[in-house]
Amino acid sequence: MNINLSAVIIDAAEPEPESAFWHRLLGGSIAKTATHHFLRIDGFPVFVIQLAPGHVPPKWPEGNSQQMHVDLTTDDLAAADRLAIEAGARRLRPTDDVDPASLNGGRVYASPAGHPFCLRST
């Protein structure tokens, strides 16, 4: 028996800015319905941004649990940081607490809907 990850579902009160953010950050193509945006990216499971009218962003790291997060790797942490911010992310931790050359280094952000994600050096 095999079990495979087929999709990551991300709730958002407004799917459009959330799907535009992930599309700008990761590329791929988007198909939209009234309640779901499907982001397909080679090498990834499908990202589904799902309309959730009552969605309340987590208040992590100072408050509620983060619920889930996505880790992304990059060979250029500084360039990926600029792209994430330009696409609409906000930093949850300062950038000066990470050594970009470290294999264990990473930066922590929130997407427009408040979902935490990390960018890590490869």
Side-chain angles (χ1 to χ4, degrees):
M1 173 180 75
N2 292 318
I3 297 174
N4 299 300
L5 179 62
S6 64
V8 173
I9 314 301
I10 300 172
D11 284 357
E14 298 179 41
E16 190 62 40
E18 188 72 3
S19 66
F21 167 77
W22 290 108
H23 182 240
R24 178 140 186 227
L25 192 64
L26 299 174
S29 62
I30 296 179
K32 299 176 184 179
T33 70
T35 58
H36 294 82
H37 293 192
F38 301 88
L39 178 58
R40 289 182 169 76
I41 310 148
D42 288 343
F44 280 83
V46 176
F47 271 58
V48 182
I49 293 74
Q50 170 177 272
L51 175 63
H55 172 70
V56 176
K59 301 218 184 297
W60 183 86
E62 281 82 32
N64 301 343
S65 164
Q66 63 182 319
Q67 301 167 10
M68 64 155 279
H69 74 270
V70 176
D71 273 4
L72 305 170
T73 57
T74 178
D75 60 356
D76 187 338
L77 192 55
D81 174 78
R82 284 190 301 276
L83 176 59
I85 297 301
E86 290 169 5
R90 63 184 166 82
R91 289 187 189 100
L92 295 179
R93 292 197 176 142
T95 60
D96 60 359
D97 69 347
V98 173
D99 174 7
S102 168
L103 291 179
N104 297 323
R107 294 184 179 167
V108 183
Y109 307 82
S111 73
H115 296 288
F117 71 96
C118 297
L119 288 171
R120 299 190 182 284
S121 298
T122 53

